[in-house]
Amino acid sequence: MSNNTGTAAHHVHRDDVGAKMGMWLFLFTEVLLFGGMFLIYAVYRYQYPDQFHIAAMELNTTMGTLNTIILLTSSLTVALSIAALQKGNKFLSLCFLSITLLFALMFMVIKYFEWTTKISHGIYPGSPELLTKPNGQILFFGLYYIMTGLHGLHVLVGMVVISFMIVFIARDKVTSDNYVKLENSGLYWHLVDLIWIFLFPLFYLIQ
Amino acid sequence: MSENNKHHISYGTYILVWAALIAFTSITVTIAGVSLGRYTLFIALSIAAIKSALVINIFMHIKFDEPIFKVFLGISGATLFIIFLLTFFDYIYR
């Protein structure tokens, strides 16, 4: 390493396109993971349309809408933080990432209240009250818990990833001319948002 | 490949896309309250598709990125579509 000439030292061995390609490939495995669940949802909704409608009435549309707005806005702040870093504004980039983290936390808090309300009403997988309901409703709530649960897990992972990015930017590991890590984290966060865009109408907006 | 020809999107564009996403969300919530029978699901999914197109193209930069990423996206979308199609063929004509 030390025998590099001045110009050679300037050339950093790095492949941003390759890094992003790897990220996109990972995102497609995520799409297929959730895709399988959406497939199960589609088949059972086709089989029990009325039961799904009755069960979905139990969900709180206001909380769902609020979470949609929060997640969409957090997607915006991630995009803005990348734009800020591209312009060389490290402070603004850190601000936007911190706001994203705050939105993610708000999302999880609302999710927590939503789930605990459901659970206190006796609706959770395998609960005696749920098991007295018809099959279609049991399936709806099973899918509701597993799909929003897995999505919530992705939000938590995203929060960890964004926290790392905040540290990286603060320590100049991610800078205005080396920000592919931040871009990839952004891609992950947008995917989490994308999945929610479909979860929201399928669970909360069946009237 | 080179850093110089990367397309940088302005703050304004991002905020505009965000406003559109919020607008589509309020439309989908409003429409859900109106009884449209069997079209409700179709409309809800169409709005979700428009929202994802905005997120993928602008927020995820697909529109300005290397063409290979578009190919990737097309293949994964097609795979998912085929899986859905085959499953429903199997299920409906069982």
Side-chain angles (χ1 to χ4, degrees), chain A residues 14 16-17 20-21 24-25 27-28 31-32 35 38-39 42-43 45-47 65 68-69 72-73 75-76 79-80 83-84 86-87 92 179 183 187 190-191 193-194 197-198 200-202 205 207, chain B residues 1 3 6-11 14-15 18 21-22 25 28-29 32-33 40-41 44-45 48-49 51-52 55-56 59-62 65-66 68-69 72-73 76 79-80 83-84 87-88 91-92:
Chain A
R14 182 178 115 203
D16 286 352
V17 176
K20 266 173 118 174
M21 203 179 277
W24 274 105
L25 281 173
L27 293 188
F28 297 146
V31 166
L32 289 175
F38 279 112
L39 183 64
V43 169
R45 180 164 173 177
Y46 183 79
Q47 193 175 355
T65 309
T68 305
I69 293 168
L72 286 173
T73 313
S75 243
L76 169 73
L80 289 177
Q86 282 170 340
K87 289 179 167 62
L92 196 60
Y179 54 83
E183 271 191 305
L187 286 176
H190 296 314
L191 182 90
D193 186 26
L194 268 182
I197 286 176
F198 284 94
F200 172 59
L202 290 178
L205 295 182
Q207 299 290 331
Chain B
M1 318 280 154
E3 291 289 302
K6 267 195 178 166
H7 189 284
H8 287 189
I9 302 173
S10 68
Y11 297 133
Y14 282 134
I15 290 167
W18 169 79
L21 287 170
I22 297 293
T25 304
T28 197
V29 172
T40 316
L41 179 67
L45 285 181
K51 284 165 77 180
S52 6
V55 171
I56 291 169
F59 282 178
M60 296 174 98
H61 281 226
I62 267 289
D65 251 324
E66 314 277 324
I68 185 74
F69 296 138
F72 277 15
L73 197 67
S76 77
T79 309
L80 208 58
I83 292 171
F84 268 77
T87 307
F88 269 89
Y91 181 73
I92 292 169

Side-chain angles (χ1 to χ4, degrees), chain A residues 108-122:
Chain A
M108 289 313 286
V109 168
I110 290 174
K111 191 100 264 173
Y112 168 80
F113 282 119
E114 210 190 307
W115 273 34
T116 46
T117 310
K118 282 277 151 308
I119 291 167
S120 70
H121 290 169

